[in-house]
Amino acid sequence: MEKDLITQALQTIHLQHGKDLTEVSQYLNMRYRVDVEPLVLQRRLKKMMQEAKAVA
């Protein structure tokens, strides 16, 4: 299954490069004109981490 923009941005910017969630939000806003609250990113990241633990 193909990952959406928010998931891709969280994986590359936050997990790989170590930037904070506000920078992920700024990237999505500048690049794709998608306005995402940091709280939404935090919940999405928490969900991704729980799914990764379930797979492992």
Side-chain angles (χ1 to χ4, degrees):
M1 184 166 60
E2 192 170 324
K3 298 177 181 160
D4 62 343
L5 290 174
I6 296 173
T7 304
Q8 289 176 358
L10 280 171
Q11 286 180 340
T12 56
I13 298 171
H14 183 70
L15 296 176
Q16 291 178 359
H17 298 295
K19 305 290 183 175
D20 60 349
L21 295 178
T22 55
E23 291 188 36
V24 176
S25 178
Q26 288 175 353
Y27 170 77
L28 289 169
N29 191 10
M30 297 290 288
R31 173 81 181 195
Y32 299 106
R33 303 268 190 233
V34 175
D35 190 23
V36 182
E37 296 288 326
L39 181 62
V40 173
L41 293 174
Q42 186 176 20
R43 288 182 182 167
R44 184 74 75 98
L45 181 65
K46 184 178 177 182
K47 183 179 175 183
M48 284 173 42
M49 297 303 241
Q50 288 175 348
E51 288 176 359
K53 286 180 184 177
V55 171

